[in-house]
């Protein structure tokens, strides 16, 4: 089955999307689904319809079902099919289509039979070709049954949970068994209070009683709470031991952190209370796969904690999450994980009646370069305890992946250091600043006050906290810049021994990426069908044109080649290895395949996206240079945060 997942709620009027070329009432979904847009753009209403929808999720994974809906929509909307609507068979087709959708709730055989009836009507209208050339009803019916069986194991909606913005762990009434937040959500949003109630609306009001049941229950229940407390400690409390206590004769949860005295949860910050509300149910049900629909997860939370919440969801649970959000700090997660998707909602007047409105949903992380060019990322806001200055977006993305890999290695190699480092949250304990190589000269990293007429550049320490500056090795030839930075920053200046960050990538990743770019995904992975199928959902690479490959042979790229080089970028190193002769362009300049004129890789950002995708799906190791880079970064983060505690 295709690894892409699709979904759409029932009974949603005036909403369409651009997620599929031929059908505009379907969304691609992933583990974390962010719904963004202006206020009153329709996000929350869509989210609640999603939550209350009874449409089985597996039906949208059936490709032929989606194609049938597409054909039906085309018949309904396009004027060229007007003559068909006037024929009796069209109304019969719609009747069979409704019967088919109803049958999807039951068995594969009844569904397949109804599907064939729909095909027969389309055949009578001369439209079966919409499913592909030379297709026949019997073949399509059998293909449908296979797709149905493949999709039947998927069930994202066996149980759903809704978390409204009105939530809190502190009771707002002394009336026993009264849950005002849940009752308000029911009254405002959901008509069927028997199906939408305290069992599937999460507001935090029930946490005291939930904890009481578990801690006074079976050993497995007590162990579950103990494991949950350990995860809270890891993700939100800097590894300090945490205990949640439903104290006797109280109606509010108590908490004990480290060696501090136990105190009511009301004395804990609102952001940490939110973290508990948003993670408890998801973790205690972590062995199943459910769907959580969450309004504004960032409420009362520091940006770094919101990111940590998302890491918790990805790493510690199997569920699918749907969020409405106004937080720009979450958007660049699409750069860092292929389990994240962003859908933008836009409210616009209807063309046929400007007084009426429709809601369009755009997949806005499909062109990730666009998001990157907007500069919408957490490193736009310097609120962290320390900063790591890197030359550009690709450096930040590579180093972020290196740090994740470094931590995973530490988990077995040095448990104590792993526990110390794993607590560091992006945009809270540290953040990245992208300075762009040519702009570095405009910054002064000295801690001395300078007169405004003294042209030493803007003072970096006035705009960002504790700085670690990482510079590509190619600045050695640029005047006396290295000497100035050494003088200003000392050991907080890290000059790479190679030309640029790309030189620190492991050979296996670079070679695989080059084969895919050169030959296309299908040919490059012809001997690894499983990996090809996995990557095909994330990569759309057909390979270079023959004219670009002329004079180069990708098979000459050795697995023993070293990309760590002081002077040469990886593009030049690759070209030197794969050139068959000395290919020339029409103006007698050396022809380049992977290199740009500076020797670095062509289309750096696109190449970076490819490498990051491979990192998520193939086995790889840190190079020694990358490992040393991570060590210095984590030491910087650790010392900066220790200093911030005592200052």
């Amino acid at each position: 089955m295709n690894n892409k997942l699709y979904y759409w709620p029932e009974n949603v009027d005036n909403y369409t999307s651009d997620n599929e070329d031929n059908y505009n009432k379907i969304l691609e979904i992933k583990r974390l689904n962010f719904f963004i847009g202006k206020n009153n753009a329709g996000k929350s209403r869509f989210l609640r319809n999603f939550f209350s929808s009874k449409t089985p999720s597996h039906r949208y994974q059936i490709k032929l079902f989606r194609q049938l809906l597409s054909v039906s929509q085309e018949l309904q909307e396009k004027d060229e099919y007007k003559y068909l609507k006037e024929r009796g068979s069209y109304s019969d087709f719609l009747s069979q289509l409704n019967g088919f959708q109803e049958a999807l709730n039951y068995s594969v055989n009844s569904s397949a039979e109804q599907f064939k009836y729909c095909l027969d009507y389309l055949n009578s209208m001369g439209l079966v070709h919409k499913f592909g050339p030379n297709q026949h009803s019997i073949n399509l019916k059998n293909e449908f049954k296979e797709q149905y069986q493949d999709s039947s194991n998927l069930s994202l909606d066996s149980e759903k949970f809704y978390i409204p913005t009105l939530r809190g762990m502190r009771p707002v009434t002394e009336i026993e068994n009264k849950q005002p937040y849940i009752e308000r959500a029911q009254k405002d949003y959901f008509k069927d209070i028997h199906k939408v109630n305290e069992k599937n609306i999460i507001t935090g009001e029930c946490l005291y009683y939930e904890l009481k049941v578990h801690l006074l229950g079976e050993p497995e229940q007590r162990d579950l709470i103990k494991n949950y407390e350990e995860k809270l400690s890891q993700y939100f409390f800097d590894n300090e031991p945490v205990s949640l206590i439903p104290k006797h004769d109280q109606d509010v949860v108590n908490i004990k952190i480290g060696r501090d005295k136990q105190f009511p949860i009301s004395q804990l910050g609102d952001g940490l209370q939110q973290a508990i509300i948003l993670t408890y149910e998801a973790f205690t049900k972590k062995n199943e796969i459910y769907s959580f629909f969450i309004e504004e997860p960032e409420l009362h939370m520091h940006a770094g904690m919101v990111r940590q919440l998302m890491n918790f969801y990805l790493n510690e649970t199997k569920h699918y999450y749907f969020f409405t959000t106004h937080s720009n700090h979450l958007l660049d997660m699409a750069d860092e994980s292929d389990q994240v998707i962003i859908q933008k909602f836009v409210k616009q007047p209807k063309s046929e009646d400007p007084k009426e409105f429709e809601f369009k949903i755009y997949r806005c992380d499909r062109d990730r370069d666009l998001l990157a060019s907007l500069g919408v990322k957490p490193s736009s806001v310097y609120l962290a305890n320390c900063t790591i200055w890197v030359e550009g977006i690709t450096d930040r993305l590579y180093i972020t992946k290196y740090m994740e890999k470094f931590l995973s290695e530490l988990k077995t190699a040095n448990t104590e250091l792993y526990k110390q480092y794993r607590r560091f949250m992006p945009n809270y304990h540290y953040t990245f600043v992208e300075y762009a190589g040519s702009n570095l000269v405009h910054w002064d990293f000295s801690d001395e006050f300078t007169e405004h007429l003294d042209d030493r550049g803007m003072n970096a320490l006035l705009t960002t906290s504790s700085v670690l500056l990482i510079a590509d090795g190619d600045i050695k030839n640029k005047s006396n810049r290295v000497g100035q930075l050494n003088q200003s920053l000392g050991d907080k200046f890290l000059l790479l021994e190679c030309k640029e960050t790309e030189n620190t990538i492991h050979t296996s990743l670079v070679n695989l990426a080059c084969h895919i770019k050169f030959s296309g995904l299908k040919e490059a992975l012809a001997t690894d069908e499983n990996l090809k199928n996995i990557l095909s959902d994330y990569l759309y690479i057909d390979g270079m044109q023959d004219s670009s490959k002329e004079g180069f042979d990708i098979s000459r790229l050795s697995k023993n080649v070293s990309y760590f080089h002081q002077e040469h970028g990886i593009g030049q190193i690759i070209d030197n290895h794969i050139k068959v002769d000395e290919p020339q362009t029409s103006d007698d300049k050396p022809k380049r395949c992977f290199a740009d004129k500076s020797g670095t890789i062509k289309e750096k950002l696109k190449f970076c996206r490819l490498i990051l995708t491979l990192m998520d799906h193939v086995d790889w190791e840190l190079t020694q240079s990358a490992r040393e880079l991570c060590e210095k970064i984590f030491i910087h983060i650790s010392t900066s945060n220790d200093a911030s505690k005592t200052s």
Side-chain angles (χ1 to χ4, degrees):
M1 186 179 75
N2 192 311
N3 288 324
K4 286 188 179 182
L5 298 179
Y6 296 95
Y7 206 2
W8 190 259
E10 62 183 12
N11 301 326
V12 181
D13 297 326
N14 300 323
Y15 282 85
T16 56
S17 83
D18 75 337
N19 279 218
E20 282 276 277
D21 292 336
N22 301 318
Y23 186 58
N24 63 11
K25 288 187 177 292
I26 197 166
L27 287 181
E28 184 182 345
I29 63 171
K30 295 188 179 182
R31 287 283 313 286
L32 301 185
N33 302 270
F34 296 119
F35 296 160
I36 67 171
K38 296 179 180 178
N39 289 323
N40 198 32
K43 306 183 299 295
S44 294
R45 184 159 70 92
F46 188 84
L47 185 84
R48 290 191 287 269
N49 273 282
F50 228 150
F51 162 68
S52 56
S53 174
K54 301 178 183 65
T55 306
S57 56
H58 81 92
R59 66 169 57 182
Y60 288 104
Q61 313 326 312
I62 304 171
K63 183 178 179 181
L64 285 171
F65 171 69
R66 300 197 303 270
Q67 286 182 298
L68 186 60
L69 292 178
S70 174
V71 172
S72 173
Q73 186 176 67
E74 202 174 341
L75 279 170
Q76 186 175 353
E77 296 178 355
K78 288 193 175 182
D79 290 338
E80 62 188 275
Y81 297 114
K82 206 170 186 179
Y83 74 98
L84 287 174
K85 295 182 190 178
E86 298 169 357
R87 294 168 54 178
S89 56
Y90 178 69
S91 58
D92 292 334
F93 166 70
L94 291 180
S95 175
Q96 288 299 330
L97 181 62
N98 290 332
F100 167 60
Q101 295 194 60
E102 182 68 25
L104 280 167
N105 298 332
Y106 301 108
S107 69
V108 59
N109 289 326
S110 60
S111 302
E113 203 58 44
Q114 288 282 7
F115 178 65
K116 185 176 181 301
Y117 291 152
C118 292
L119 291 178
D120 289 341
Y121 280 108
L122 288 175
N123 192 35
S124 69
M125 297 182 230
L127 293 174
V128 175
H129 69 276
K130 293 286 184 181
F131 292 86
N134 304 317
Q135 287 284 15
H136 300 286
S137 297
I138 295 298
N139 294 339
L140 288 169
K141 176 184 174 182
N142 292 333
E143 191 177 335
F144 170 83
K145 292 177 75 171
E146 291 177 9
Q147 292 178 10
Y148 186 104
Q149 296 286 13
D150 287 342
S151 69
S152 58
N153 291 330
L154 178 73
S155 183
L156 308 179
D157 41 21
S158 57
E159 197 165 354
K160 297 179 180 179
F161 298 92
Y162 172 67
I163 306 182
T165 53
L166 199 60
R167 53 185 185 253
M169 291 181 66
R170 294 171 290 168
V172 293
T173 178
E174 294 184 2
I175 302 174
E176 192 172 351
N177 297 325
K178 192 78 170 171
Q179 297 165 328
Y181 292 160
I182 291 177
E183 291 174 6
R184 189 74 249 178
Q186 286 178 303
K187 184 175 182 179
D188 290 340
Y189 304 138
F190 308 108
K191 295 178 181 178
D192 192 343
I193 62 174
H194 299 293
K195 293 184 178 179
V196 181
N197 48 46
E198 68 277 1
K199 292 181 180 178
N200 46 23
I201 298 179
I202 300 169
T203 59
E205 296 170 277
C206 304
L207 259 171
Y208 178 90
Y209 302 101
E210 285 272 339
L211 284 168
K212 205 170 186 179
V213 168
H214 277 79
L215 291 172
L216 297 177
E218 299 298 324
E220 296 81 12
Q221 292 176 291
R222 294 193 292 275
D223 288 342
L224 183 61
I225 298 302
K226 182 180 178 181
N227 291 338
Y228 174 61
E229 291 169 341
E230 289 174 354
K231 294 302 178 184
L232 282 181
S233 166
Q234 174 184 337
Y235 283 87
F236 304 108
F237 290 92
D238 283 351
N239 282 336
E240 292 278 357
V242 174
S243 295
L244 299 175
I245 307 109
K247 191 176 179 181
H248 181 60
D249 289 336
Q250 288 192 11
D251 60 355
V252 66
V253 175
N254 276 231
I255 189 167
K256 180 171 172 56
I257 304 170
R259 296 182 180 180
D260 292 350
K261 187 178 178 181
Q262 175 180 319
F263 55 86
I265 202 82
S266 54
Q267 297 180 26
L268 191 68
D270 287 332
L272 288 168
Q273 290 183 54
Q274 291 290 322
I276 294 171
I277 294 169
L278 294 171
T279 56
Y280 177 81
E281 203 77 38
F283 186 83
T284 55
K285 291 178 166 57
K286 64 187 176 73
N287 293 326
E288 303 296 330
I289 299 179
Y290 299 130
S291 296
F292 285 77
F293 299 81
I294 303 174
E295 300 263 17
E296 311 294 344
E298 68 271 18
L299 286 179
H300 308 299
M301 282 194 187
H302 184 283
M305 187 176 288
V306 180
R307 290 290 298 271
Q308 202 72 336
L309 172 66
M310 299 304 152
N311 289 331
F312 180 98
Y313 286 149
L314 284 177
N315 299 336
E316 306 300 337
T317 74
K318 304 174 185 176
H319 310 305
Y320 285 75
Y321 299 89
F322 302 85
F323 310 97
T324 61
T325 181
H326 292 104
S327 173
N328 68 305
H329 300 285
L330 294 174
L331 298 189
D332 70 329
M333 288 195 73
D335 284 328
E336 299 163 16
S337 173
D338 56 24
Q339 298 185 75
V340 175
I341 194 168
I342 301 170
Q343 310 277 0
K344 181 179 180 180
F345 285 64
V346 177
K347 181 181 180 182
Q348 57 193 36
K350 289 184 176 180
S351 55
E352 63 273 17
D353 185 358
K355 294 181 180 180
E356 297 289 327
F357 292 91
E358 60 183 358
F359 303 93
K360 298 288 291 184
I361 307 173
Y362 298 95
R363 166 80 180 274
C364 65
D365 64 323
R366 179 170 292 159
D367 183 357
R368 295 183 175 183
D369 294 354
L370 175 61
L371 273 182
S373 69
L374 293 174
V376 182
K377 47 188 177 286
S379 53
S380 302
V381 184
Y382 309 133
L383 297 174
N385 289 337
C386 70
T387 52
I388 302 158
W389 287 54
V390 294
E391 187 161 324
I393 183 174
T394 57
D395 291 25
R396 174 175 65 85
L397 295 175
Y398 285 132
I399 290 172
T400 299
K401 280 293 185 186
Y402 286 170
M403 291 169 69
E404 292 174 6
K405 189 70 171 179
F406 182 78
L407 279 179
S408 69
E409 290 184 358
L410 270 188
K411 193 171 185 177
T412 53
N414 190 330
T415 307
E416 289 304 312
L417 201 57
Y418 167 72
K419 288 181 179 179
Q420 179 185 343
Y421 288 168
R422 74 179 181 182
R423 68 186 177 92
F424 296 133
M425 296 185 292
N427 313 304
Y428 181 82
H429 294 103
Y430 68 94
T431 194
F432 287 95
V433 179
E434 298 166 15
Y435 59 81
S438 59
N439 291 334
L440 190 57
V441 69
H442 301 302
W443 289 97
D444 171 30
F445 293 89
S446 144
D447 58 2
E448 300 174 0
F449 177 78
T450 56
E451 294 290 343
H452 68 280
L453 294 177
D454 185 0
D455 188 17
R456 291 174 58 180
M458 299 173 287
N459 193 302
L461 302 185
L462 295 179
T463 59
T464 70
S465 53
S466 180
V467 169
L468 174 67
L469 176 67
I470 301 172
D472 289 348
D474 58 7
I475 71 166
K476 292 176 183 177
N477 302 322
K478 297 179 180 178
S479 185
N480 61 342
R481 196 177 304 177
V482 172
Q484 291 172 345
L485 291 170
N486 270 321
Q487 184 179 358
S488 299
L489 290 168
D491 62 359
K492 296 299 184 181
F493 171 52
L494 179 55
L495 180 65
L496 296 180
E497 295 181 12
C498 51
K499 177 178 169 62
E500 55 192 354
T501 304
E502 280 81 358
N503 293 98
T504 65
I505 306 171
H506 196 278
T507 298
S508 62
L509 289 169
V510 176
N511 286 3
L512 180 54
C514 288
H515 276 82
I516 291 172
K517 282 184 70 69
F518 192 91
S519 306
L521 183 67
K522 186 175 181 180
E523 185 176 336
L525 297 175
T527 58
D528 193 336
E529 195 69 26
N530 184 50
L531 181 59
K532 181 173 68 176
N533 290 337
I534 293 172
L535 292 178
S536 63
D537 282 339
Y538 306 103
L539 302 174
Y540 307 93
I541 299 178
D542 293 328
M544 297 179 181
Q545 295 181 352
D546 290 340
S547 58
S548 300
K549 298 189 287 187
E550 192 175 326
F552 297 93
D553 180 3
I554 196 67
S555 66
R556 297 166 67 95
L557 195 59
S558 168
K559 64 180 180 180
N560 298 319
V561 61
S562 172
Y563 292 107
F564 190 81
H565 201 283
Q566 289 185 338
E567 299 177 5
H568 297 158
I570 64 171
Q572 182 177 340
I573 296 171
I574 295 163
D575 282 359
N576 288 344
H577 275 78
I578 67 172
K579 63 184 178 182
V580 178
D581 44 35
E582 289 292 341
Q584 303 287 317
T585 60
S586 57
D587 55 2
D588 291 332
K589 292 182 180 179
K591 186 178 178 183
R592 293 185 289 264
C593 184
F594 283 94
D596 70 5
K597 62 181 180 181
S598 71
T600 191
I601 196 77
K602 284 181 181 176
E603 299 180 318
K604 285 186 72 167
L605 187 53
K606 289 184 179 179
F607 188 81
C608 176
R609 306 287 185 213
L610 174 55
I611 292 287
L612 295 182
T613 303
L614 295 178
M615 285 177 168
D616 286 336
H617 295 98
V618 302
D619 292 330
W620 62 284
E621 297 178 356
L622 286 170
T623 58
Q624 185 59 31
S625 53
R627 189 173 291 108
E628 291 171 357
L629 178 61
C630 289
E631 288 173 352
K632 292 173 182 176
I633 289 172
F634 274 109
I635 289 172
H636 169 67
I637 297 171
S638 183
T639 54
S640 298
N641 280 276
D642 288 343
S644 70
K645 286 183 180 179
T646 57
S647 59

